[in-house]
Amino acid sequence: MIASMTAFGRLEHSMDWGNAIWEIRTVNHRYLEMIVRLPEEVRMLEPVVRQRIAKHLKRGKVDCTLRFEQGDNTGENLPVNLELARKIIDAADSLPLENSAPINPMDILRWPGVIGRGSVDMDTISDNLLAQLDSTLAIIVETREREGEKIRAMLLERCDNALDRVTGIRKLLPDIVNGIRERYLSRAREHQLELDNERLEQEMLLLAQKMDVAEELDRLETHINEVQRVLDQDEPVGRRLDFLMQEMNREANTLGSKSASIDTTNTSVELKVLIEQMREQIQNVE
């Protein structure tokens, strides 16, 4: 099953040790690129977070953010660091400011470190945060797979359409050659020219060789069948699909350059439109 590279997951969890919110966004990227934002209290978890992301995701730009607020589990009044509060007040009083407003106690309490927190077991917090991260990543994986299934259905539909056009133009090739031959003969009759049948057949043979697109059609069919096979693999296939689109586009261009009729020209254009539609979607496949 193929997976998209676009997804968003958010999970909030509250316990007696505090409140945590994981948010993960992923978009398409050639490789796996991670941006991890963690609060200072749990900064030591970053290597583990990166490892767990890499375990679940193989391609895409991943923006992972944790909002964490440690709770107070002491069951007592808020522990205030009075020594730090006095230092802040003394420092404010020492500033040479005239007509300054009185110090607001709430401003002092908001100063980092003035209100302490109860002691907590960081190992317990870390285990809970990582478990929550895994749950958020599961949401991301599920979303990417669901979107990938939609992309797969679209790609299979375009592959069927492309095969129909390859089969159709293959059936028309003998009629196209005969049509060109008849046009040459008709023009010769209009100008009352006598043609050397042997020379005419030689020219028609050379023309048929020049506009022979059997190999291009064979390769197109092979590439389309390969795309259908790859779409059923349970591994990241985005890069392989992108390569196949390049090869299919090359064959469609050659088909157009060898065109000797409006039918092959139209088929070349229609194939390139289908290939471009697939290529746009494949840019978002993991």
Side-chain angles (χ1 to χ4, degrees):
M1 176 184 295
I2 68 171
S4 166
M5 285 190 284
T6 302
F8 172 75
R10 183 181 189 276
L11 200 59
E12 183 172 358
H13 193 53
S14 297
M15 294 190 68
D16 54 357
W17 45 259
N19 183 67
I21 301 175
W22 284 100
E23 284 189 359
I24 301 178
R25 293 178 174 84
T26 66
V27 295
N28 59 325
H29 195 272
R30 291 185 62 188
Y31 308 103
L32 179 61
E33 178 181 321
M34 289 179 275
I35 300 175
V36 178
R37 300 182 181 89
L38 301 178
E40 288 300 328
E41 301 95 315
V42 291
R43 179 67 64 183
M44 70 288 188
L45 294 179
E46 183 170 345
V48 182
V49 171
R50 290 181 175 273
Q51 290 175 3
R52 299 207 177 190
I53 292 174
K55 180 181 178 181
H56 289 84
L57 309 176
K58 304 306 178 185
R59 285 184 69 199
K61 184 175 182 179
V62 183
D63 191 333
C64 178
T65 302
L66 170 63
R67 296 182 178 88
F68 171 65
E69 181 179 355
Q70 183 177 325
D72 174 35
N73 61 352
T74 61
E76 303 172 353
N77 295 329
L78 286 177
V80 178
N81 188 334
L82 296 177
E83 182 179 356
L84 177 59
R86 291 192 184 95
K87 290 181 179 180
I88 296 171
I89 294 172
D90 292 341
D93 289 339
S94 65
L95 295 176
L97 299 177
E98 298 180 0
N99 301 322
S100 60
I103 298 176
N104 188 334
M106 292 304 299
D107 292 336
I108 301 299
L109 293 176
R110 293 191 189 99
W111 193 270
V114 172
I115 296 180
R117 301 291 185 184
S119 60
V120 293
D121 184 357
M122 289 306 298
D123 290 337
T124 300
I125 291 180
S126 298
D127 291 342
N128 278 274
L129 291 177
L130 292 175
Q132 185 183 356
L133 170 64
D134 288 339
S135 298
T136 311
L137 286 169
I139 296 174
I140 292 292
V141 171
E142 180 182 358
T143 302
R144 284 161 65 114
E145 289 180 348
R146 186 168 58 249
E147 292 298 317
E149 187 60 30
K150 295 178 182 178
I151 295 175
R152 178 179 179 275
M154 189 281 294
L155 293 176
L156 288 176
E157 179 185 356
R158 300 300 190 278
C159 283
D160 289 340
N161 291 338
L163 279 176
D164 289 342
R165 283 158 175 78
V166 170
T167 302
I169 198 63
R170 195 191 297 275
K171 293 178 180 179
L172 289 176
L173 287 180
D175 293 336
I176 292 173
V177 175
N178 290 332
I180 295 174
R181 187 176 187 277
E182 289 300 322
R183 286 201 301 271
Y184 282 179
L185 291 174
S186 176
R187 289 179 182 176
R189 286 193 292 268
E190 289 176 2
H191 293 83
Q192 298 180 346
L193 299 176
E194 292 185 6
L195 298 177
D196 183 342
N197 289 333
E198 183 178 351
R199 177 65 182 274
L200 176 62
E201 294 303 326
Q202 290 177 351
E203 291 295 330
M204 291 304 302
L205 179 60
L206 291 174
L207 180 61
Q209 291 175 344
K210 184 177 181 180
M211 61 170 289
D212 182 19
V213 292
E215 291 186 7
E216 285 75 13
L217 295 177
D218 288 341
R219 284 194 289 267
L220 273 168
E221 188 171 349
T222 299
H223 294 328
I224 294 170
N225 290 332
E226 178 65 9
V227 171
Q228 293 173 323
R229 187 191 70 82
V230 168
L231 289 174
D232 289 330
Q233 294 186 351
D234 292 327
E235 60 184 34
V237 295
R239 292 178 185 172
R240 182 168 184 79
L241 289 173
D242 188 59
F243 171 76
L244 287 169
M245 290 303 108
Q246 295 178 32
E247 295 301 305
M248 288 172 62
N249 193 65
R250 181 180 293 117
E251 302 302 335
N253 282 329
T254 304
L255 179 65
S257 65
K258 288 186 175 183
S259 176
S261 76
I262 189 64
D263 294 310
T264 50
T265 299
N266 288 340
T267 298
S268 173
V269 172
E270 291 169 356
L271 284 171
K272 286 192 283 187
V273 170
L274 290 170
I275 293 168
E276 179 62 20
Q277 290 174 347
M278 289 191 284
R279 190 193 65 80
E280 289 178 356
Q281 293 297 325
I282 287 170
Q283 299 305 307
N284 199 33
V285 172
E286 184 178 31

